[in-house]
Amino acid sequence: MANRTDPMAKSVHGTNPQNVLEKLVRARIYASLYWKEHCFGLTAETLVDKAMDLEYFGGTYGGFFKPSCFLCLVLKMLQIQPDKEIVIEFIKNEDYKYVRLLGAFYLRLVGRPVDVYQYLEPLQNDYRKIRERLRNGKFVISHVDEIIFRLLNEATVCDVALPRLPRRIHLEDQHLLPEHKSALEDDLDEEFEAEMRTKRHVDQTHRPLSPPHKRPAY
């Protein structure tokens, strides 16, 4: 019963939301101690408390491919299918970086391509450090923006095969997204505008005085 999808949940990509994760991964999560002790009975409202306690990002690890707490909560979100507004609040959370990553990961699995680009691209400006657990069980230092880049560009993250994401330019051609402009381009534009303002100021300061107007001789 605890492993069943909410009967009110809508299908995702034409299937049960939990099927977004491969069967073997789901089985390992169902058998994990964290799932049994901490995920039973979670709701969309109480799940955020567990998300705030996350200490690292990762998929499965170790010789027995033990699922991370992060991956367990991803499956729980697929199971209970929280409202989109709640997911967006996770993504916009600036205080807890793993809550932000959890929301971003979930949206990448279930969201429309337009929403994925709209809500995940701004997170590429989040350069905070995070702990990531690799498949060998070791921890490494990564960054929020690196994880977001992988979610937008790679086919598999955290041992999860991500749904196909169309290239951004195709959505731009259909006028579903505005033309992409990176933060670096914005900085360059600001620098260019500042240089132009300085140049205009210098030109006005050093502009030669006009010769005095001579009266015509009669």
Side-chain angles (χ1 to χ4, degrees):
M1 186 71 178
N3 298 338
R4 292 182 181 177
T5 302
D6 189 317
M8 300 300 292
K10 299 178 182 178
S11 64
V12 173
H13 308 301
T15 186
N16 184 316
Q18 292 194 76
N19 291 344
V20 174
L21 299 190
E22 294 181 1
K23 184 177 181 180
L24 188 57
V25 174
R26 296 199 310 271
R28 286 172 178 148
I29 292 175
Y30 295 150
S32 70
L33 193 62
Y34 182 84
W35 176 266
K36 295 175 181 178
E37 293 187 353
H38 298 278
C39 296
F40 181 81
L42 283 181
T43 65
E45 291 73 24
T46 58
L47 185 140
V48 66
D49 295 327
K50 294 297 180 183
M52 289 165 60
D53 292 336
L54 288 172
E55 297 180 344
Y56 65 90
F57 171 86
T60 59
Y61 61 91
F64 295 99
F65 300 102
K66 182 179 179 181
S68 66
C69 302
F70 182 92
L71 198 57
C72 290
L73 292 184
V74 169
L75 181 60
K76 192 63 185 183
M77 291 183 74
L78 291 168
Q79 187 182 82
I80 63 179
Q81 201 173 71
D83 292 337
K84 181 179 177 181
E85 291 73 19
I86 294 177
V87 178
I88 300 307
E89 286 303 313
F90 273 39
I91 294 173
K92 292 183 176 180
N93 191 307
E94 297 183 354
D95 297 322
Y96 295 92
K97 49 196 175 184
Y98 297 108
V99 172
R100 166 169 281 186
L101 286 175
L102 183 64
F105 196 98
Y106 175 78
L107 184 66
R108 176 64 180 88
L109 293 177
V110 306
R112 299 182 307 125
V114 171
D115 289 334
V116 171
Y117 281 110
Q118 178 183 350
Y119 291 106
L120 265 61
E121 280 185 335
L123 304 188
Q124 293 184 101
N125 297 324
D126 187 343
Y127 307 117
R128 286 178 294 176
K129 293 180 179 180
I130 63 165
R131 297 172 74 216
E132 179 177 4
R133 194 164 201 170
L134 305 179
R135 295 193 70 176
N136 60 12
K138 294 182 179 180
F139 288 98
V140 295
I141 297 298
S142 186
H143 301 82
V144 173
D145 64 298
E146 294 178 32
I147 304 302
I148 299 301
F149 179 85
R150 285 159 56 185
L151 289 175
L152 292 174
N153 293 279
E154 296 184 5
T156 303
V157 177
C158 286
D159 306 307
V160 177
L162 303 176
R164 180 183 173 277
L165 187 66
R167 293 181 61 188
R168 195 186 199 285
I169 191 170
H170 296 327
L171 300 178
E172 292 177 10
D173 291 341
Q174 299 174 50
H175 305 290
L176 297 175
L177 284 174
E179 183 177 353
H180 179 59
K181 198 170 188 180
S182 67
L184 178 59
E185 289 177 311
D186 290 336
D187 292 341
L188 291 175
D189 287 344
E190 291 178 3
E191 290 180 9
F192 177 76
E193 291 177 4
E195 289 178 3
M196 292 303 295
R197 286 195 297 269
T198 302
K199 186 177 184 301
R200 285 195 296 267
H201 176 72
V202 171
D203 290 344
Q204 292 174 357
T205 304
H206 296 85
R207 182 178 296 171
L209 298 175
S210 302
H213 181 70
K214 295 182 179 181
R215 293 176 177 272
Y218 295 100

